[in-house]
Amino acid sequence: MMPFILLLDTLLKKITQLCGILAVVAMIGLLFNVFYDVVMRYAFNDVSIGMQELEWHLFACVFLLGTPYAMQQDGHVRVDIFYERWSDQVKALVNLLGAMLFIFPFVILVTMYGSDFAYEAYDIGEGSGDPGGLPHRWIIKSLIPLSFALMGLAGLGMITQALRVLIGKEPYPKQQREHLS
Amino acid sequence: MTGIVMFVVALLMLILGFPVAFTFAGVALAFGVWSEGMELFAFVPYRIQSIMQNTILMAIPLFIFMGVVLQKTRLAEQLLESMAQLFGRVSGGIAISTILVGALLAASTGVVGASVVAMGLISLPCMLKYNYDKQLACGTICASGTLGQIIPPSIILIILGDVLGLPVGDLFKAAMAPGLLLIALYIGYILFVTLKDPERAPPMPVVDEPKLTMIRKALTAIIPPLALIAVVLGSIFTGIATPTESSALGGVGALLLALAYRQFSFSMLWQSAKETVTVTAMVFAILLGATAFSMSFSYTGGDMLLEEWLLDLPGEKWGFLILTMLVILILGFFIDFVEISFIIVPVLAPIAEALGISMVWFAILIAMNLQTSFLTPPFGFSLFYLKGVAPPQVRTVDIYRGVLPFIAIQMAVVLALLVRPGWFGL
């Protein structure tokens, strides 16, 4: 059982880390995309609808792909008044149950409805309503079910990690989150 | 009633320590499906699409990026050192510099945790080395770190602008007066302390550098980041650029500053983008959770019931304001401003509007109030951050006692803002 858990754990980690890399690339792209649009608009009075639409496409990649990655990094905010003091076993139990009860139903439902949503866009060949806008709206819309499916995988990763702590008596890695408030 | 029960259950569940975003989503799902059926959530993708296309929220990752890059250029260290030297033999010089640098840093990052940690690492050892009173040192750092909540371009004001449907530029403008007043009062307090008891903040020993070189050094450290922030805020205030456009200018500007200070490298760019992604994901995951939550809440009639209750409060708008400010202050001890802004504020906003409360005023009150909340023992976030980076001889009690005078100042300003908004041009 344990080797299987370890393998699954590593595999899931790799997938979510790939999300992270893509989100980071999108982040850098977003910065220069918006900057380029600003410069073009003010310096050359030239607005490209396609480039402006690309802004929100990249922005969507940043947070939709960043979320599963942050889950793997334990980057999401917890109310840790008690959590901090609990033993690794109790923490593992919280994460195990939390992933099953809170994450799975939510991501399954949104992945399901999100797929319909994206398929509909594909079916009618939806594109941008503006001249010069980006075509194939279904691609960016598919990011919604994709992101939620990946969140599901990241949730599964929380479970495998919790099992490693519970069965394998491994310690929980220290939280490495960047706190916002 | 279901909505209200759901709210309470969600708040209780948070204490378990599972990530907030998913706790809210999970609880909302359970109650929503149970009372309205699964189809309720078929709208979630549409809501997500509107978040994707929201150009105001796009400013959040870009401003975070600007802050992270500025932090990585170690500008704050240089600033603090050269500024403290400029004050030379003035008692309390380092503390005053801490407030000023903290304000500048806050303006650039808008992220409290980051500025408290940065100032704690840079300025606390410095103050302790020159025999500052520990309590004064800690209070100063916590207070200057929380300035990021109110001084634009703060992330919370962007979120509040989105949630309340207000132009972000207006909120930034409105936040200037109370923010500057706070800085002035903090400095005033330090001057008052040093006048009464110079031992608590002794001056730095004199360096034998010629005054002119010192001034030049200080200016080279101060002017570029100040100019960047001036450009960013100036372009928003004059209406030349939208907040999102100026946030991109700020991000690229910060990279240029890093180049100028010889701190730029591609790995620094990558690391900064990575930190930005994590923080952004944290904010937006909560927004996704809050989206599901608010759907369940309003479909089960929670908002109607709450509205009824709150509109019935004695004292009309005063009863409402006092109650909501108290609730937000207390919630601020336990949960982040992101949850409060995305989950609590949308519920309160229509009621505030119905009571004829000015929305800009309401937003600034909430931001100031949260700032107070992050400063207040025993749970204030900034206190934890400082404790996390402080040397062991600084006890938690020192931090708690040290922030008390600053909390008093803060409360006084909130009160003034509440009773006399006209003083602040609101």
Side-chain angles (χ1 to χ4, degrees):
Chain A
M1 187 65 189
M2 203 57 196
F4 172 70
I5 293 175
L6 285 176
L7 183 72
L8 189 62
D9 193 57
T10 321
L11 188 70
L12 291 170
K13 227 173 244 166
K14 285 255 160 24
I15 296 173
T16 38
Q17 270 162 359
L18 182 68
C19 290
I21 292 173
L22 292 174
V24 172
V25 171
M27 179 61 224
I28 298 174
L30 173 68
L31 175 71
F32 289 106
N33 188 173
V34 180
F35 180 71
Y36 172 86
D37 288 347
V38 176
V39 172
M40 287 311 273
R41 190 160 91 132
Y42 290 101
F44 304 101
N45 206 8
D46 180 18
V47 185
S48 153
I49 305 270
M51 280 300 276
Q52 276 189 334
E53 287 189 359
L54 189 62
E55 285 178 10
W56 69 259
H57 283 64
L58 289 170
F59 167 59
C61 292
V62 171
F63 75 88
L64 285 176
L65 293 173
T67 301
Y69 170 69
M71 284 166 82
Q72 193 263 318
Q73 297 279 309
D74 200 4
H76 289 291
V77 193
R78 299 171 183 271
V79 174
D80 48 12
I81 344 176
F82 297 114
Y83 184 82
E84 219 178 25
R85 289 174 219 163
W86 280 336
S87 70
D88 283 350
Q89 261 69 26
V90 180
K91 282 182 188 170
L93 215 60
V94 167
N95 288 326
L96 187 77
L97 291 175
M100 289 197 293
L101 297 175
F102 293 150
I103 293 184
F104 285 160
F106 181 53
V107 298
I108 290 170
L109 211 63
V110 180
T111 309
M112 209 174 76
Y113 286 122
S115 309
D116 296 347
F117 179 70
Y119 180 75
E120 202 181 283
Y122 175 78
D123 204 34
I124 61 169
E126 187 187 346
S128 167
D130 297 307
L134 300 178
H136 306 303
R137 190 54 61 87
W138 64 271
I139 300 178
I140 194 69
K141 284 191 172 179
S142 321
L143 196 61
I144 297 172
L146 181 71
S147 161
F148 276 79
L150 288 164
M151 282 183 219
L153 290 183
L156 196 60
M158 285 175 98
I159 292 180
T160 52
Q161 194 177 42
L163 288 177
R164 284 173 68 166
V165 174
L166 284 174
I167 305 173
K169 308 271 181 263
E170 284 179 47
Y172 248 110
K174 253 211 151 318
Q175 233 189 351
Q176 29 181 291
R177 94 175 104 126
E178 281 293 310
H179 213 297
L180 190 60
S181 64
Chain B
M1 201 61 206
T2 318
I4 307 289
V5 175
M6 176 176 83
F7 212 117
V8 176
V9 171
L11 286 178
L12 289 177
M13 285 293 182
L14 284 183
I15 297 182
L16 289 178
F18 196 70
V20 173
F22 300 108
T23 308
F24 269 105
V27 171
L29 203 77
F31 278 89
V33 170
W34 173 65
S35 90
E36 306 291 318
M38 244 162 49
E39 290 70 34
L40 174 63
F41 295 96
F43 294 111
V44 173
Y46 294 88
R47 295 275 187 106
I48 295 174
Q49 194 194 5
S50 69
I51 298 171
M52 288 157 73
Q53 290 180 306
N54 185 324
T55 43
I56 296 171
L57 293 177
M58 207 188 280
I60 293 176
L62 293 169
F63 273 130
I64 293 175
F65 180 81
M66 167 175 125
V68 174
V69 171
L70 281 182
Q71 224 186 312
K72 286 205 190 291
T73 54
R74 318 209 143 271
L75 274 175
E77 274 103 325
Q78 292 175 23
L79 265 176
L80 190 79
E81 269 169 30
S82 41
M83 217 187 251
Q85 273 175 13
L86 269 188
F87 277 104
R89 261 173 287 184
V90 183
S91 300
I94 316 174
I96 296 173
S97 312
T98 303
I99 298 280
L100 290 174
V101 176
L104 199 65
L105 201 67
S108 67
T109 61
V111 176
V112 177
S115 26
V116 172
V117 167
M119 297 313 283
L121 286 172
I122 309 159
S123 139
L124 188 58
C126 186
M127 286 200 262
L128 294 178
K129 189 166 115 197
Y130 294 113
N131 290 319
Y132 265 59
D133 175 53
K134 272 186 280 185
Q135 297 181 4
L136 181 67
C138 293
T140 306
I141 293 172
C142 289
S144 68
T146 46
L147 284 171
Q149 291 292 308
I150 189 79
I151 294 184
S154 75
I155 307 294
I156 183 171
L157 291 175
I158 302 177
I159 297 181
L160 284 175
D162 179 61
V163 170
L164 298 173
L166 298 167
V168 174
D170 289 5
L171 287 185
F172 282 1
K173 258 188 230 168
M176 284 307 277
L180 292 176
L181 178 66
L182 271 181
I183 299 174
L185 289 176
Y186 287 169
I187 293 176
Y189 168 73
I190 291 167
L191 287 174
F192 171 74
V193 168
T194 50
L195 225 64
K196 227 181 62 181
D197 192 1
E199 286 300 294
R200 291 184 68 189
M204 268 166 76
V206 190
V207 220
D208 13 282
E209 243 177 319
K211 200 90 187 160
L212 217 65
T213 9
M214 261 168 55
I215 295 180
R216 220 189 48 221
K217 247 170 80 185
L219 288 183
T220 46
I222 295 169
I223 289 178
L226 202 62
L228 178 66
I229 289 160
V231 168
V232 167
L233 289 184
S235 61
I236 300 174
F237 288 169
T238 50
I240 298 176
T242 65
T244 307
E245 287 172 332
S246 18
S247 66
L249 291 179
V252 173
L255 286 177
L256 290 178
L257 277 189
L259 261 174
Y261 286 103
R262 298 179 188 289
Q263 298 280 350
F264 181 84
S265 67
F266 283 101
S267 83
M268 181 268 237
L269 174 64
W270 185 262
Q271 284 306 323
S272 306
K274 201 162 123 184
E275 271 175 45
T276 308
V277 165
T278 321
V279 178
T280 306
M282 181 190 105
V283 174
F284 284 89
I286 293 170
L287 180 54
L288 295 178
T291 303
F293 191 82
S294 65
M295 280 169 101
S296 286
F297 189 69
S298 51
Y299 273 91
T300 51
D303 53 348
M304 305 284 275
L305 202 60
L306 198 69
E307 199 169 328
E308 232 169 75
W309 288 351
L310 289 177
L311 285 175
D312 265 357
L313 280 176
E316 286 173 62
K317 81 174 188 186
W318 294 110
F320 169 78
L321 277 174
I322 291 168
L323 184 78
T324 48
M325 289 303 132
L326 273 178
V327 168
I328 290 176
L329 184 75
I330 293 167
L331 283 174
F333 293 154
F334 305 100
I335 57 181
D336 245 313
F337 70 78
V338 189
E339 294 96 288
I340 295 178
S341 315
F342 281 138
I343 297 168
I344 316 285
V345 175
V347 176
L348 299 175
I351 308 167
E353 213 158 15
L355 287 166
I357 294 169
S358 145
M359 289 318 250
V360 175
W361 181 46
F362 190 54
I364 302 295
L365 272 175
I366 293 173
M368 288 280 288
N369 196 2
L370 282 174
Q371 194 199 348
T372 317
S373 176
F374 294 152
L375 202 56
T376 305
F379 294 120
F381 279 116
S382 72
L383 313 173
F384 293 134
Y385 292 128
L386 183 60
K387 181 75 186 119
V389 294
Q393 77 258 33
V394 174
R395 291 166 307 156
T396 310
V397 189
D398 295 326
I399 302 179
Y400 285 2
R401 289 222 183 107
V403 292
L404 288 181
F406 291 97
I407 296 172
I409 293 174
Q410 186 87 34
M411 294 263 191
V413 176
V414 175
L415 212 65
L417 195 63
L418 193 64
V419 185
R420 288 273 176 274
W423 292 355
F424 303 90
L426 287 167

